[in-house]
Amino acid sequence: MKTRYLNGNDKNDNKLLSQLKSYWYLFLLCPILFVALAYFFTIYATQQYLVSSSMLLQQQPNNPDASSAYANGGATSALNLSEIIKNEGDVLRSRNLIQEVEQKLHLNIKLFANSGLFATEIYEESPFDVKIAKTKVDSLKRREYVITPVDGTHLNIANSKENVNLNVSYGAAIKLPQYDLIVNKKPNVPVLLSEYSTQIVSDDDAIADITRNYDAEFIDKGTTTVALTLYYPNSKKGEVILQSLMNQYLEDNLTQKKASIDSTINFINSRLGVVEDELTNVEKNYQNYRSSNNIADLDEQSKVLVGSASENTNKYQQQQIQLSIIKDIKSRLDDPNNKQVIPSSLNIQNASFAASLSQYNNLLNERIKQRLSFTETNPVIVNIDQQIQTVRHNLLQSIDSYKNEMVLNSSGINAQTNILSNSIKQVPGKQRTIMDFNRQQELKQQLYVYLLQKREETSMAKAANISYSRIIDNAKSSKDPVKPIKPLIYAMGFFMGLIVPFGIVNSKKLIQSKIVSEGDIEQQTDVAIIGKIGHQSLKLNSKSDQLARTQVTESMRTLRTKLRNILDSGQSSVIMVTSSVNGEGKTFLTKNLGGTFAMAGKKVLLMELDLRKPKLSSVLNVDNADLGFSNYVLENINADDLIKPSGFDDNCFVITSGPVVSNASELLLTDKLGELITEMRNKFDYVIIDSSPVGLVSDALVIQKHVDMTIYVCRHNYTNKSQIEIINEIKEKDNVDNLYLVINDVNFSKAGYFGYGYGIGYGD
């Protein structure tokens, strides 16, 4: 479906002006009404004062040396500190803080001068002090009690909802359904009024009331200064509440600080005991280890072990040298023919052996000397040889004995050396163990000293009972009430007075299911609207009445002009009139359109082809049962015999539907319909057919094939908007191109129809 929008801004403006004109009284009365309501609202609404203050929030430093902490943490620590401070804004807005102040100041109990609509809250000027002595229910319901002073010692308290009306003494417990109430008279405060009232609500309601009117926001992102605001009906009480909120915040900070410090001290003390026990255990284990390993001074003992091992090594090497010398000497002595002197450089560290060796060398030297004088067989030489043999034998025995002694000594020295080596090898392990003990001892001792230092620092911090955050400006109320804002309320009332009529008009249009304006049709179909027939409330009885220059007549003349422009004026034209349902005025349009053409001197034929529920004949007071279209089809009657005068114009004639038959659709499907229409074309200038509603039956679609134009009638405030879709289906699915719309029963003074301002009623 194609949508055809209104043409031009002027047309939209005219439509809007027409709607405003129709509901002018709403646009006049609503602003007056809403401004009046705004006036009464400003009079009776509770006036509120603005109470403001400011605080500087700073984090309590945990490290006494803040500069070193910043140096260690860098800029990141400063940013983190700022973020922590920002969280304090949430604490200032927290329900717990407000609850503490509410319970401390008993904000769930309010006192008023007068009662009801004219009650105003009082605080310092109140002559009474109201307290709840005993609560009887879990959750308090809102109650208001009227207090009337009787004399200097008695008062009357009343509440109609609870049927309470009691005369009691000041200070006496008043038994009420929810609680026991005590009203005390304040000294030096005069009773100026004859009636007071008190309002008692639950703690939750009182907290919610403060929360709605209280806020705490940082002044800007670059500072930790918080601006606190509170709107309250009584300026003095508002100042007390806001000041109490700030004081309670500082008090809670100190309490939290002390609790944190006490917890820290308790933790430090417990850790000191644990560290002290661990340090004692380390020292005891160190002592036991040194005792079990005979360690007095490991460094000195290590030096001794190394010296002893070196000395034994030297001894062992000396023994090996001696054994080597002995081996060499023995090899010389084992050869009897060896007459060489044993070198004195082969030192043997044995006195007896050295003496024997010296004797042996002397005998050899003596033999060499005597050999120069004697022969080998000389008794002197023989005697010396015997002596040499005896000494050599003794030397060999001494060498064997000394060798065995040296071997034993070497084994002992070697074993002792191994023992010393093993002891030396154990020294690094013992040193490492001792270092572990020393390290544990040092760590525990440092931790112990650190905890002692922190305990002293924490104790000093506990002694400082000053909050690091502070109040910059005390709570101060505005001089005059700031709420309600009268100019704003009046402006809102005026604009609401303009908006509401628009809403009413638009809402009425949205819920309207009937066609009430030309735009309702144009928004759903692009079929051209060629006529708008005005509303006529008078009954037309005579011919002169029917043709009077009324709105209907002028609308018909305008439609006639448009039809003549659309149709070919040089030949006869056949026009079919249909609609969606019965009652939309297709028969009315058929009759009046025929009469309009007849008044212009045209010869017109009205054909009643609504074979199911014919109405045209009854409107024209023509007998329907006497020779009509059904007779023409069924009885083969001459077409001229069907034509009857209309009765209201000599140029207008009518062919009725004839007797109603059950097979009406089949009659229209015969060739007789086309033959009849063709024959009537030759006799009349205009043939106007009143057909069945196309939204109910398909008869009109059968007739449409034989006509030059189809007029679809919609009735103002009668045709449903949903039925406009039928027009689109006829045009698009049934390929009906010669389709035009006429809107019937239009009240031009109220509906949104345009284009006929000139001519309607002209000349009346």
Side-chain angles (χ1 to χ4, degrees), residues 90-161:
D90 296 331
V91 178
L92 279 169
R93 294 186 294 269
S94 66
R95 188 181 187 278
N96 289 337
L97 179 63
I98 298 174
Q99 183 177 10
E100 290 175 349
V101 175
E102 183 272 334
Q103 293 176 350
K104 182 179 293 186
L105 300 179
H106 304 290
L107 297 179
N108 63 322
I109 303 174
K110 297 181 180 180
L111 289 168
F112 298 90
N114 299 314
S115 62
L117 188 63
F118 299 98
T120 56
E121 187 173 357
I122 55 177
Y123 183 58
E124 294 178 344
E125 62 274 25
S126 171
F128 311 113
D129 184 15
V130 180
K131 293 183 179 179
I132 296 176
K134 179 182 177 182
T135 303
K136 303 176 183 179
V137 294
D138 294 334
S139 179
L140 300 182
K141 295 181 180 179
R142 184 184 297 268
R143 288 292 182 267
E144 184 175 346
Y145 297 94
V146 178
I147 300 175
T148 304
V150 178
D151 52 37
T153 59
H154 293 80
L155 59 89
N156 178 271
I157 185 168
N159 179 277
S160 59
K161 290 185 178 179

Side-chain angles (χ1 to χ4, degrees), residues 535-546:
H535 173 74
Q536 177 58 265
S537 59
L538 298 176
K539 292 184 179 180
L540 305 179
N541 298 320
S542 64
K543 178 179 178 181
S544 59
D545 291 336
Q546 293 175 358

Side-chain angles (χ1 to χ4, degrees), residues 140-380:
L140 300 182
K141 295 181 180 179
R142 184 184 297 268
R143 288 292 182 267
E144 184 175 346
Y145 297 94
V146 178
I147 300 175
T148 304
V150 178
D151 52 37
T153 59
H154 293 80
L155 59 89
N156 178 271
I157 185 168
N159 179 277
S160 59
K161 290 185 178 179
E162 296 179 343
N163 294 322
V164 173
N165 191 353
L166 301 173
N167 288 324
V168 295
S169 301
Y170 289 110
I174 305 172
K175 304 294 183 181
L176 297 174
Q178 298 187 82
Y179 32 70
D180 291 346
L181 209 62
I182 296 177
V183 180
N184 294 316
K185 191 175 184 305
K186 291 182 180 179
N188 303 323
V189 180
V191 179
L192 302 177
L193 301 175
S194 60
E195 183 179 86
Y196 295 87
S197 62
T198 180
Q199 186 184 83
I200 302 174
V201 299
S202 64
D203 290 338
D204 291 338
D205 290 341
I207 293 170
D209 184 50
I210 296 297
T211 303
R212 283 193 299 269
N213 298 285
Y214 165 72
D215 195 11
E217 293 291 340
F218 287 94
I219 294 177
D220 56 55
K221 296 182 179 179
T223 182
T224 59
T225 302
V226 179
L228 295 89
T229 56
L230 174 67
Y231 292 94
Y232 203 79
N234 187 283
S235 59
K236 294 297 182 182
K237 188 174 181 179
E239 290 178 356
V240 172
I241 293 173
L242 192 59
Q243 192 71 31
S244 299
L245 283 169
M246 295 188 293
N247 292 334
Q248 188 65 44
Y249 170 77
L250 298 178
E251 182 180 339
D252 289 347
N253 273 3
L254 286 176
T255 303
Q256 185 178 4
K257 169 190 169 185
K258 290 180 180 179
S260 177
I261 289 175
D262 290 338
S263 176
T264 303
I265 291 176
N266 292 334
F267 172 76
I268 290 175
N269 289 333
S270 64
R271 288 300 301 164
L272 277 172
V274 173
V275 173
E276 185 176 1
D277 293 339
E278 291 177 350
L279 182 59
T280 301
N281 291 333
V282 170
E283 291 174 347
K284 287 182 178 180
N285 292 335
Y286 185 28
Q287 179 183 352
N288 294 334
Y289 179 77
R290 294 181 64 178
S291 299
S292 61
N293 289 276
N294 298 319
I295 299 174
D297 189 343
L298 186 60
D299 292 338
E300 292 298 328
Q301 288 177 335
S302 298
K303 291 179 182 179
V304 172
L305 286 174
V306 172
S308 298
S310 178
E311 183 179 354
N312 284 345
T313 301
N314 291 334
K315 288 181 180 181
Y316 180 77
Q317 290 177 353
Q318 291 295 330
Q319 293 290 335
Q320 294 299 316
I321 292 172
Q322 291 294 313
L323 287 173
S324 177
I325 293 172
I326 289 172
K327 183 179 180 182
D328 183 61
I329 293 173
K330 185 179 179 182
S331 65
R332 289 175 181 269
L333 293 176
D334 284 339
D335 185 7
N337 296 322
N338 185 6
K339 303 300 183 181
Q340 295 181 356
V341 177
I342 296 175
S344 58
S345 59
L346 299 175
N347 186 18
I348 301 299
Q349 296 177 356
N350 189 295
S352 61
F353 181 78
S356 298
L357 181 60
S358 177
Q359 184 182 0
Y360 178 74
N361 285 334
N362 289 335
L363 288 174
L364 289 177
N365 289 330
E366 183 63 25
R367 185 181 184 279
I368 293 171
K369 187 193 313 182
Q370 291 299 330
R371 181 68 181 79
L372 293 175
S373 300
F374 303 101
T375 61
E376 292 289 336
T377 60
N378 188 284
V380 176

Side-chain angles (χ1 to χ4, degrees), residues 509-524:
K509 184 177 180 181
L510 288 175
I511 63 176
Q512 177 63 259
S513 62
K514 307 294 185 180
I515 295 173
V516 295
S517 68
E518 184 178 350
D520 293 339
I521 300 175
E522 292 180 329
Q523 289 175 0
Q524 298 186 63

Side-chain angles (χ1 to χ4, degrees), residues 361-605:
N361 285 334
N362 289 335
L363 288 174
L364 289 177
N365 289 330
E366 183 63 25
R367 185 181 184 279
I368 293 171
K369 187 193 313 182
Q370 291 299 330
R371 181 68 181 79
L372 293 175
S373 300
F374 303 101
T375 61
E376 292 289 336
T377 60
N378 188 284
V380 176
I381 299 300
V382 172
N383 184 34
I384 292 173
D385 287 339
Q386 290 177 351
Q387 292 180 9
I388 291 172
Q389 186 65 28
T390 300
V391 173
R392 185 177 66 80
H393 179 71
N394 291 335
L395 280 173
L396 289 174
Q397 289 181 348
S398 297
I399 286 173
D400 290 336
S401 176
Y402 184 61
K403 180 181 179 182
N404 290 333
E405 181 183 354
M406 293 297 294
V407 169
L408 290 174
N409 289 336
S410 296
S411 299
I413 291 171
N414 189 33
Q416 188 175 5
T417 301
N418 291 334
I419 292 173
L420 292 173
S421 297
N422 290 333
S423 297
I424 292 172
K425 290 179 181 179
Q426 293 176 0
V427 169
K430 292 179 180 180
Q431 285 181 333
R432 183 182 61 78
T433 303
I434 290 174
M435 289 176 64
D436 289 340
F437 280 115
N438 290 335
R439 183 168 56 252
Q440 293 181 28
Q441 184 181 21
E442 183 179 1
L443 288 174
K444 299 299 180 183
Q445 187 171 355
Q446 289 179 354
L447 180 58
Y448 188 77
V449 173
Y450 173 77
L451 290 174
L452 288 175
Q453 180 184 356
K454 288 300 176 183
R455 185 171 65 179
E456 292 301 316
E457 292 176 357
T458 308
S459 299
M460 293 174 63
K462 182 179 180 181
N465 285 336
I466 300 176
S467 177
Y468 204 60
S469 299
R470 67 179 187 271
I471 298 174
I472 298 178
D473 294 319
N474 291 322
K476 183 63 178 177
S477 171
S478 60
K479 183 178 180 180
D480 298 315
V482 296
K483 287 185 177 181
I485 306 173
K486 293 184 179 180
L488 179 61
I489 299 299
Y490 289 142
M492 290 178 60
F494 179 75
F495 283 111
M496 285 296 296
L498 296 179
I499 293 173
V500 169
F502 279 107
I504 294 174
V505 173
N506 290 331
S507 299
K508 188 174 181 181
K509 184 177 180 181
L510 288 175
I511 63 176
Q512 177 63 259
S513 62
K514 307 294 185 180
I515 295 173
V516 295
S517 68
E518 184 178 350
D520 293 339
I521 300 175
E522 292 180 329
Q523 289 175 0
Q524 298 186 63
T525 183
D526 60 350
V527 175
I529 300 174
I530 61 172
K532 307 174 189 71
I533 309 303
H535 173 74
Q536 177 58 265
S537 59
L538 298 176
K539 292 184 179 180
L540 305 179
N541 298 320
S542 64
K543 178 179 178 181
S544 59
D545 291 336
Q546 293 175 358
L547 299 180
R549 302 186 58 150
T550 63
Q551 285 188 351
V552 175
T553 304
E554 293 300 330
S555 300
M556 287 295 175
R557 290 172 177 172
T558 303
L559 177 60
R560 179 185 64 188
T561 302
K562 286 201 172 186
L563 291 177
R564 294 180 65 180
N565 293 334
I566 295 172
L567 296 171
D568 188 357
S569 59
Q571 61 182 11
S572 176
S573 298
V574 180
I575 303 172
M576 181 181 71
V577 181
T578 186
S579 64
S580 301
V581 293
N582 291 326
E584 291 180 299
K586 62 180 182 61
T587 302
F588 169 80
L589 179 64
T590 301
K591 173 195 170 186
N592 285 277
L593 184 60
T596 304
F597 277 115
M599 289 176 62
K602 302 295 182 181
K603 192 174 182 181
V604 181
L605 175 67

